Short mmCIF file of all heavy atoms in Angstrom, two decimals:
data_model
loop_
_atom_site.label_atom_id
_atom_site.label_comp_id
_atom_site.label_asym_id
_atom_site.label_seq_id
_atom_site.Cartn_x
_atom_site.Cartn_y
_atom_site.Cartn_z
N ARG S 14 72.74 200.75 82.50
CA ARG S 14 74.16 200.44 82.36
C ARG S 14 74.44 198.99 82.00
O ARG S 14 75.19 198.72 81.06
CB ARG S 14 74.89 200.79 83.66
CG ARG S 14 76.39 200.58 83.60
CD ARG S 14 77.06 201.12 84.84
NE ARG S 14 78.51 200.96 84.77
CZ ARG S 14 79.35 201.38 85.69
NH1 ARG S 14 78.89 201.98 86.78
NH2 ARG S 14 80.65 201.20 85.55
N TYR S 15 73.86 198.07 82.74
CA TYR S 15 74.16 196.66 82.54
C TYR S 15 73.11 195.93 81.71
O TYR S 15 73.24 194.74 81.45
CB TYR S 15 74.33 195.97 83.90
CG TYR S 15 75.47 196.53 84.68
CD1 TYR S 15 75.25 197.34 85.79
CD2 TYR S 15 76.79 196.25 84.32
CE1 TYR S 15 76.30 197.87 86.51
CE2 TYR S 15 77.85 196.78 85.04
CZ TYR S 15 77.60 197.59 86.14
OH TYR S 15 78.65 198.11 86.86
N TYR S 16 72.09 196.64 81.34
CA TYR S 16 71.01 196.10 80.50
C TYR S 16 70.32 194.90 81.13
O TYR S 16 69.90 193.97 80.44
CB TYR S 16 71.55 195.75 79.12
CG TYR S 16 71.89 196.95 78.25
CD1 TYR S 16 72.12 198.20 78.80
CD2 TYR S 16 71.97 196.83 76.86
CE1 TYR S 16 72.43 199.29 78.01
CE2 TYR S 16 72.28 197.92 76.06
CZ TYR S 16 72.51 199.14 76.64
OH TYR S 16 72.82 200.23 75.85
N ARG S 17 70.23 194.94 82.46
CA ARG S 17 69.42 193.95 83.15
C ARG S 17 67.96 194.16 82.76
O ARG S 17 67.53 195.28 82.53
CB ARG S 17 69.58 194.08 84.66
CG ARG S 17 70.96 193.76 85.17
CD ARG S 17 71.08 194.12 86.64
NE ARG S 17 70.91 195.55 86.83
CZ ARG S 17 70.77 196.15 88.00
NH1 ARG S 17 70.77 195.42 89.12
NH2 ARG S 17 70.63 197.46 88.08
N THR S 18 67.22 193.08 82.72
CA THR S 18 65.83 193.16 82.29
C THR S 18 64.89 192.52 83.29
O THR S 18 65.27 191.63 84.05
CB THR S 18 65.63 192.49 80.92
OG1 THR S 18 66.04 191.12 81.01
CG2 THR S 18 66.46 193.18 79.86
N GLU S 19 63.65 192.98 83.29
CA GLU S 19 62.57 192.41 84.07
C GLU S 19 61.34 192.34 83.19
O GLU S 19 61.13 193.20 82.34
CB GLU S 19 62.27 193.25 85.31
CG GLU S 19 63.41 193.29 86.32
CD GLU S 19 63.05 194.06 87.57
OE1 GLU S 19 61.91 194.56 87.66
OE2 GLU S 19 63.90 194.15 88.46
N TYR S 20 60.53 191.31 83.41
CA TYR S 20 59.35 191.10 82.61
C TYR S 20 58.16 190.71 83.46
O TYR S 20 58.29 190.03 84.48
CB TYR S 20 59.56 189.99 81.58
CG TYR S 20 60.59 190.30 80.53
CD1 TYR S 20 61.91 189.88 80.69
CD2 TYR S 20 60.25 190.99 79.38
CE1 TYR S 20 62.86 190.17 79.72
CE2 TYR S 20 61.19 191.27 78.41
CZ TYR S 20 62.50 190.86 78.59
OH TYR S 20 63.44 191.13 77.62
N GLN S 21 56.99 191.13 83.01
CA GLN S 21 55.76 190.61 83.54
C GLN S 21 55.66 189.14 83.15
O GLN S 21 56.02 188.76 82.03
CB GLN S 21 54.58 191.40 82.96
CG GLN S 21 53.20 190.92 83.38
CD GLN S 21 52.94 191.15 84.85
OE1 GLN S 21 52.78 190.18 85.60
NE2 GLN S 21 52.90 192.40 85.26
N ASP S 22 55.17 188.32 84.07
CA ASP S 22 55.12 186.88 83.82
C ASP S 22 54.35 186.52 82.56
O ASP S 22 54.71 185.57 81.85
CB ASP S 22 54.51 186.16 85.02
CG ASP S 22 55.44 186.10 86.21
OD1 ASP S 22 56.64 186.35 86.04
OD2 ASP S 22 54.96 185.80 87.31
N SER S 23 53.32 187.26 82.26
CA SER S 23 52.47 186.93 81.13
C SER S 23 53.14 187.13 79.78
O SER S 23 52.67 186.61 78.77
CB SER S 23 51.17 187.74 81.18
OG SER S 23 51.43 189.12 81.03
N VAL S 24 54.24 187.88 79.75
CA VAL S 24 54.92 188.13 78.49
C VAL S 24 56.31 187.51 78.42
O VAL S 24 56.92 187.50 77.35
CB VAL S 24 55.04 189.65 78.19
CG1 VAL S 24 53.67 190.31 78.28
CG2 VAL S 24 56.03 190.31 79.14
N LYS S 25 56.78 186.99 79.53
CA LYS S 25 58.12 186.42 79.57
C LYS S 25 58.22 185.24 78.60
O LYS S 25 57.37 184.36 78.57
CB LYS S 25 58.46 185.96 80.99
CG LYS S 25 59.93 185.67 81.20
CD LYS S 25 60.23 185.46 82.67
CE LYS S 25 61.72 185.29 82.90
NZ LYS S 25 62.04 185.14 84.34
N GLY S 26 59.28 185.25 77.80
CA GLY S 26 59.46 184.23 76.79
C GLY S 26 58.89 184.61 75.44
O GLY S 26 59.23 183.99 74.43
N ARG S 27 58.03 185.62 75.41
CA ARG S 27 57.46 186.10 74.16
C ARG S 27 57.95 187.50 73.80
O ARG S 27 58.14 187.81 72.62
CB ARG S 27 55.94 186.12 74.23
CG ARG S 27 55.32 184.75 74.46
CD ARG S 27 53.80 184.80 74.32
NE ARG S 27 53.19 185.68 75.33
CZ ARG S 27 52.45 186.74 75.06
NH1 ARG S 27 52.20 187.08 73.80
NH2 ARG S 27 51.93 187.47 76.04
N PHE S 28 58.11 188.34 74.80
CA PHE S 28 58.53 189.72 74.59
C PHE S 28 59.99 189.89 74.99
O PHE S 28 60.46 189.26 75.94
CB PHE S 28 57.69 190.69 75.42
CG PHE S 28 56.26 190.83 74.99
CD1 PHE S 28 55.68 189.96 74.08
CD2 PHE S 28 55.49 191.85 75.53
CE1 PHE S 28 54.36 190.10 73.70
CE2 PHE S 28 54.16 191.99 75.16
CZ PHE S 28 53.59 191.12 74.25
N THR S 29 60.68 190.78 74.30
CA THR S 29 62.06 191.10 74.62
C THR S 29 62.25 192.61 74.61
O THR S 29 61.96 193.26 73.60
CB THR S 29 63.04 190.46 73.64
OG1 THR S 29 62.87 189.04 73.63
CG2 THR S 29 64.48 190.79 74.03
N ILE S 30 62.72 193.15 75.72
CA ILE S 30 63.04 194.57 75.77
C ILE S 30 64.53 194.75 75.52
O ILE S 30 65.35 193.96 75.98
CB ILE S 30 62.62 195.19 77.12
CG1 ILE S 30 62.79 196.72 77.08
CG2 ILE S 30 63.38 194.58 78.28
CD1 ILE S 30 62.20 197.44 78.28
N SER S 31 64.87 195.77 74.78
CA SER S 31 66.26 196.07 74.49
C SER S 31 66.42 197.57 74.33
O SER S 31 65.43 198.31 74.24
CB SER S 31 66.74 195.34 73.23
OG SER S 31 66.00 195.74 72.10
N ARG S 32 67.66 198.02 74.31
CA ARG S 32 67.89 199.45 74.12
C ARG S 32 69.17 199.68 73.34
O ARG S 32 70.09 198.87 73.36
CB ARG S 32 67.94 200.19 75.47
CG ARG S 32 69.15 199.85 76.33
CD ARG S 32 68.99 200.44 77.73
NE ARG S 32 68.98 201.89 77.72
CZ ARG S 32 68.53 202.66 78.71
NH1 ARG S 32 68.02 202.08 79.80
NH2 ARG S 32 68.57 203.98 78.61
N ASP S 33 69.20 200.80 72.66
CA ASP S 33 70.37 201.22 71.91
C ASP S 33 70.64 202.66 72.33
O ASP S 33 69.99 203.59 71.84
CB ASP S 33 70.13 201.11 70.41
CG ASP S 33 71.37 201.40 69.60
OD1 ASP S 33 72.30 202.05 70.11
OD2 ASP S 33 71.41 200.98 68.43
N ASN S 34 71.57 202.83 73.26
CA ASN S 34 71.83 204.16 73.79
C ASN S 34 72.37 205.11 72.73
O ASN S 34 72.16 206.32 72.81
CB ASN S 34 72.80 204.08 74.97
CG ASN S 34 72.14 203.54 76.22
OD1 ASN S 34 70.93 203.36 76.28
ND2 ASN S 34 72.95 203.26 77.24
N ALA S 35 73.07 204.57 71.74
CA ALA S 35 73.59 205.41 70.67
C ALA S 35 72.46 206.02 69.85
O ALA S 35 72.63 207.08 69.25
CB ALA S 35 74.52 204.61 69.77
N LYS S 36 71.32 205.34 69.81
CA LYS S 36 70.16 205.83 69.07
C LYS S 36 69.10 206.43 69.97
O LYS S 36 68.03 206.83 69.49
CB LYS S 36 69.55 204.71 68.24
CG LYS S 36 70.47 204.17 67.15
CD LYS S 36 69.78 203.09 66.35
CE LYS S 36 70.67 202.59 65.23
NZ LYS S 36 70.01 201.53 64.43
N ASN S 37 69.36 206.46 71.28
CA ASN S 37 68.41 207.01 72.25
C ASN S 37 67.05 206.33 72.13
O ASN S 37 66.00 206.99 72.20
CB ASN S 37 68.25 208.52 72.07
CG ASN S 37 69.55 209.26 72.21
OD1 ASN S 37 70.41 208.90 73.01
ND2 ASN S 37 69.70 210.33 71.44
N THR S 38 67.07 205.02 71.97
CA THR S 38 65.85 204.29 71.69
C THR S 38 65.77 203.00 72.50
O THR S 38 66.77 202.29 72.65
CB THR S 38 65.75 203.96 70.19
OG1 THR S 38 65.80 205.17 69.43
CG2 THR S 38 64.45 203.24 69.87
#
């Protein structure tokens, strides 16, 4: 709902998770 994110420390700052609910992806 709020698109809060969490990351493993080893990837934080390099990886970005996102979602598009309209595309189910």
Side-chain angles (χ1 to χ4, degrees):
R14 183 172 182 178
Y15 298 106
Y16 288 21
R17 294 171 297 170
T18 58
E19 295 183 0
Y20 295 94
Q21 177 68 244
D22 287 344
S23 65
V24 307
K25 194 170 185 178
R27 298 188 298 121
F28 291 12
T29 302
I30 188 171
S31 61
R32 68 190 295 162
D33 186 340
N34 286 351
K36 296 182 178 180
N37 302 325
T38 302

